[in-house]
């Protein structure tokens, strides 16, 4: 109150007007300057957050693809039965198997080399007993790379859990080189029993090239494995804030990325889970630009306040005229931006330092940044498209598989083995039917041929334990159906009825008959059957609509049921019937029409 009296009591009108203008304007100006400082800082934080998020997603995707190539190279060993047999049972002294195994190993090593762009320098194959069964080196000098206690995780990497891998790096004292090691344990896909372990060696400098090609200084990249160890980093400056490895749950795997600020918003830390590498990627972005922007904005705000107070004091009578005009221009420009025009630029003399001038310059800065972000997003989309095209180019051509199977069958005929060509033919037909990219419509005849090929191959595994009978009238062979309706059902019967404690001969019957204008395909077996509670649960689950898009390799009963209903309507689908100890019958109900006829 004393200050107010000193300012206004016994003062001239001019002084009172000046002080009134200064005091009434000073508080709003301070508030506006603070809001401008906060909004400008938050705006830049959001801009950097979006830009950083896109960059982190791109780097994580690129590295995940790198680990995916390594992981898929290891898992492709499932396509080499002789190599799998070597891992599980050791070498066979039979001369024929010896040379065939050599060819399989040579083909597998060539596949690994081509898949990973010749970066793998050594592959070691360990058996079920954790003993070395075979190895391959890019050069003879790498043959002597030791595998003993001098290597980290020497024993742990040979007994990794199912669907887990281990990545780490170490420096070999004898070679005086840094190596990156990727290990994965191979399991039986049905019974999850251990078969062996594959260990890949890559020079660490090759991994460095991949990372540095996608990193910009001063960003720091840190890779940690499932044991919480850092096996690569571009700098150890921020090791204290790198999060530890936590195996994400199923919900987090759908969105395995975290982005947060650290150290008073001066660092932006992105952490991503690399599913294929069983590791985490942490990218640290030092926000030097944000710190400079804070200081500059603070100085500008303070300068604007001081300058505005002086101007208001000297030109209080003319303030309204000079304030209204630029605010109106700014409002009109903001309306254009709101309508989608981001090319609006307000002209403003640089010598002006009042708050409206600063807002105008910030507005121009904002629209310029928005245009830059739109351009960056467009370029990012182009790079993503290029990456997708590259991934498509790297896929295996199915015709290569067919030709390879024919070559294997031809070589088997030359040595007098006539069962292998039949297996190769059946497997080739399975591939051809599975990879066919045309119309999804098929016929009962084609479905039975596909099932026959599958069962023919399975008989080599189960021999006399598996028998099949087909009772389908010739008149129904050309009836149209969607693809893959019978093979998943028969596969379930083989999986659940064979290999148990009560091993016996499994008989699978396939019948077809008409029923009031529909076709009923019956697949029955003499297996152990299904318990009533489990059968009721299966029937209930089949009637529930799936809430997620189907993904993965397995095509189950529920998927077949939903595909039939989607194609033909709710009156068609699967019917389950089973008695414990007597077997199971699954009926497939589809409309009776020839191929090419439309269904109403």
């Amino acid at each position: 109150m004393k200050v107010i009296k000193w300012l206004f009591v016994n003062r001239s009108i001019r002084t009172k007007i000046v002080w009134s203008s200064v005091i009434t304007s000073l508080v709003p100006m301070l508030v506006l300057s603070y809001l401008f400082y906060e909004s400008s800082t938050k705006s830049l934080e959001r801009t950097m957050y979006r830009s950083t998020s896109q960059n982190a997603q791109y780097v994580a995707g690129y590295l995940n693809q790198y680990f995916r190539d390594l992981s898929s190279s290891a898992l492709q060993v499932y396509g080499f039965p002789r190599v799998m047999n070597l891992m599980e049972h050791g070498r066979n002294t039979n001369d024929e198997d010896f040379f065939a195994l050599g060819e399989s190993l040579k083909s597998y090593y060539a596949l690994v080399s081509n898949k990973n762009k010749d970066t793998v320098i050594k592959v070691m194959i360990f058996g079920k007993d954790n003993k070395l069964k075979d190895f391959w080196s890019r050069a003879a000098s790498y043959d002597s790379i030791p595998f003993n206690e001098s290597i980290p995780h020497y024993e742990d990497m040979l007994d990794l859990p199912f669907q887990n891998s281990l990545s780490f790096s170490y420096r070999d004292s004898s070679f005086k080189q840094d190596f990156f090691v990727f290990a994965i344990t191979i399991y039986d896909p049905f019974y999850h029993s251990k078969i062996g372990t594959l260990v890949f060696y890559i020079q660490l400098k090759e991994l460095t090239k991949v990372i540095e090609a996608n990193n910009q200084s001063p960003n720091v990249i840190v890779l940690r494995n499932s044991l919480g160890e850092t096996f690569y980093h571009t700098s150890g400056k921020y090791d204290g804030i790198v999060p530890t490895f936590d195996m994400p749950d199923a919900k987090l795997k759908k969105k395995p990325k975290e982005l947060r600020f650290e150290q008073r918003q001066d660092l932006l830390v992105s952490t991503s889970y690399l599913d294929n590498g069983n590791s985490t990627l942490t990218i640290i972005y030092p926000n030097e630009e944000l710190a400079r922007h804070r200081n500059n904005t603070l100085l500008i705000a303070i300068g604007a306040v001081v300058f505005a107070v002086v101007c208001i004091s000297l030109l209080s009578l003319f303030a309204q005229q000079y304030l209204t005009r630029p605010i109106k221009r700014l409002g009109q420009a903001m309306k254009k931006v709101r309508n989608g025009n981001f090319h609006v630029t307000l002209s403003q003399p640089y010598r002006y330092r009042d708050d409206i001038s600063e807002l105008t310059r910030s507005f121009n800065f904002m629209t310029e940044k928005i245009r830059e972000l739109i351009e960056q997003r467009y370029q990012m989309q182009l790079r993503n498209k290029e990456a997708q095209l590259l991934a498509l180019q790297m896929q295996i051509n199915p015709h290569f598989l067919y030709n390879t199977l024919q070559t294997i069958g031809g070589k088997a005929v030359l040595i007098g083995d006539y069962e292998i060509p039949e297996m190769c033919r059946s497997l080739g037909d399975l591939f051809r039917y599975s990879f066919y990219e045309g119309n999804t419509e098929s016929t009962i005849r084609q479905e039975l041929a596909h099932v026959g090929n599958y069962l023919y191959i399975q008989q080599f595994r189960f021999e006399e334990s598996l028998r099949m009978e087909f009772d389908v009238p010739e008149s129904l062979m050309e009836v149209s159906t969607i693809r893959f309706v019978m093979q998943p059902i028969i596969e379930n019967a083989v999986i659940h009825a064979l290999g148990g404690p009560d091993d016996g001969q499994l008989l699978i019957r396939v019948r077809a008959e008409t029923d009031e204008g529909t076709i009923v395909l019956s697949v029955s077996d003499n297996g152990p059957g299904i318990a009533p509670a489990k059968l009721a649960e299966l029937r209930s689950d089949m009637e529930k609509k799936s809430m997620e898009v189907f993904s993965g390799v397995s095509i189950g009963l529920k998927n077949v049921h939903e595909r039939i209903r989607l194609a033909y309507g709710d009156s068609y689908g699967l019917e389950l019937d089973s008695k414990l100890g007597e077997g199971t019958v699954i009926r497939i109900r589809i409309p009776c029409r020839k191929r090419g006829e439309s269904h109403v």
Side-chain angles (χ1 to χ4, degrees), residues 175-463:
F175 279 82
K176 296 183 179 179
Q177 292 185 22
D178 293 321
F179 293 117
F180 167 64
V181 180
F182 181 85
I184 184 171
T185 302
I186 304 300
Y187 286 83
D188 184 283
F190 295 106
Y191 304 106
H192 295 179
S193 59
K194 177 183 173 183
I195 295 177
T197 302
L198 292 171
V199 180
F200 296 82
Y201 283 80
I202 299 174
Q203 289 182 322
L204 189 60
K205 63 181 181 181
E206 296 295 334
L207 179 63
T208 302
K209 290 180 182 178
V210 173
I211 295 176
E212 291 299 331
N214 297 275
N215 186 38
Q216 295 181 352
S217 181
N219 300 342
V220 175
I221 290 181
V222 180
L223 289 171
R224 283 190 169 179
N225 59 23
S226 57
L227 301 177
E229 298 175 343
T230 299
F231 63 91
Y232 179 85
H233 62 77
T234 54
S235 172
K237 182 178 179 181
Y238 304 108
D239 286 348
I241 65 172
V242 176
T244 57
F245 179 93
D246 291 322
M247 179 64 71
D249 53 21
K251 182 179 180 181
L252 183 57
K253 282 187 177 181
K254 296 180 181 178
K255 190 179 180 182
K257 184 166 70 66
E258 179 187 23
L259 197 62
R260 69 185 190 280
F261 283 97
E262 291 281 354
Q263 295 185 2
R264 297 177 58 191
Q265 310 293 90
D266 291 333
L267 295 177
L268 193 57
V269 181
S270 170
T271 302
S272 304
Y273 174 68
L274 304 180
D275 184 36
N276 290 280
N278 199 29
S279 57
T280 55
L281 164 68
T282 300
I283 308 179
I284 302 171
Y285 300 87
N287 296 335
E288 299 175 356
E289 180 181 354
L290 182 59
R292 289 194 300 269
H293 179 78
R294 285 199 192 100
N295 295 332
N296 293 338
T297 304
L298 182 61
L299 293 176
I300 291 173
I302 294 174
V305 170
V306 174
F307 183 78
V309 169
V310 174
C311 290
I312 290 173
S313 300
L314 297 177
L315 304 172
S316 58
L317 295 177
F318 305 99
Q320 182 179 2
Q321 177 183 356
Y322 287 98
L323 285 174
T324 305
R325 187 182 302 168
I327 290 177
K328 186 176 181 180
R329 290 174 52 220
L330 187 59
Q332 293 173 349
M334 287 183 175
K335 288 181 180 179
K336 293 180 180 179
V337 172
R338 186 176 60 187
N339 293 330
N341 183 7
F342 299 105
H343 295 276
V344 178
T345 302
L346 296 176
S347 59
Q348 180 67 38
Y350 184 77
R351 64 180 181 273
Y352 289 175
R353 287 293 183 271
D354 61 299
D355 57 328
I356 302 300
S357 301
E358 290 300 325
L359 287 174
T360 302
R361 276 188 285 273
S362 297
F363 173 80
N364 292 336
F365 176 80
M366 179 187 67
T367 55
E368 181 181 357
K369 283 295 182 182
I370 291 176
R371 291 196 298 269
E372 291 177 2
L373 286 174
I374 293 174
E375 180 66 20
Q376 290 176 3
R377 181 175 179 82
Y378 175 73
Q379 294 177 358
M380 185 64 69
Q381 290 176 346
L382 288 180
R383 286 197 291 269
N384 288 337
K385 289 296 183 183
E386 293 173 356
Q388 292 174 4
L389 290 175
L390 180 61
L392 289 174
Q393 293 171 3
M394 294 176 65
Q395 290 181 350
I396 296 178
N397 188 346
H399 295 289
F400 170 75
L401 296 176
Y402 308 150
N403 296 336
T404 302
L405 288 172
Q406 291 176 358
T407 302
I408 294 173
K411 287 185 176 293
V413 171
L414 293 177
I415 63 175
D417 191 330
Y418 295 97
E419 290 185 343
I420 292 179
E422 286 300 315
M423 289 185 67
C424 292
R425 180 197 61 75
S426 299
L427 185 57
D429 290 343
L430 280 175
F431 282 148
R432 187 174 289 106
Y433 191 76
S434 299
F435 292 153
Y436 176 67
E437 297 177 355
N439 196 336
T440 58
E441 189 179 47
S442 182
T443 63
I444 292 179
R445 185 186 303 277
Q446 292 173 329
E447 278 289 293
L448 290 177
H450 179 66
V451 169
N453 289 324
Y454 170 78
L455 290 173
Y456 178 79
I457 294 174
Q458 288 290 37
Q459 278 189 316
F460 279 92
R461 176 184 175 188
F462 296 106
E463 299 179 348

Side-chain angles (χ1 to χ4, degrees), residues 38-102:
E38 287 295 321
S39 63
S40 179
T41 301
K42 295 295 183 182
S43 176
L44 184 58
E45 288 179 1
R46 288 192 295 269
T47 301
M48 295 187 67
Y49 190 96
R50 289 192 295 268
S51 177
T52 300
S53 178
Q54 294 173 355
N55 176 261
Q57 184 175 357
Y58 177 78
V59 175
Y62 194 92
L63 288 179
N64 209 22
Q65 179 63 44
Y66 179 83
F67 285 108
R68 184 181 293 115
D69 289 341
L70 280 175
S71 179
S72 63
S73 298
L75 295 181
Q76 282 175 335
V77 75
Y78 286 107
F80 295 85
R82 286 192 174 88
V83 181
M84 297 281 288
N85 187 62
L86 170 67
M87 298 169 71
E88 189 170 12
H89 303 293
R91 292 186 182 273
N92 192 334
T93 57
N94 185 288
D95 292 340
E96 177 183 329
D97 288 339
F98 178 82
F99 291 106
L101 174 61

Side-chain angles (χ1 to χ4, degrees), residues 111-130:
L111 184 147
V112 172
S113 179
N114 294 334
K115 182 75 173 179
N116 297 279
K117 302 177 181 178
D118 295 332
T119 60
V120 177
I121 62 173
K122 187 172 184 178
V123 180
M124 303 182 74
I125 299 178
F126 291 87
K128 186 176 183 179
D129 55 359
N130 292 344

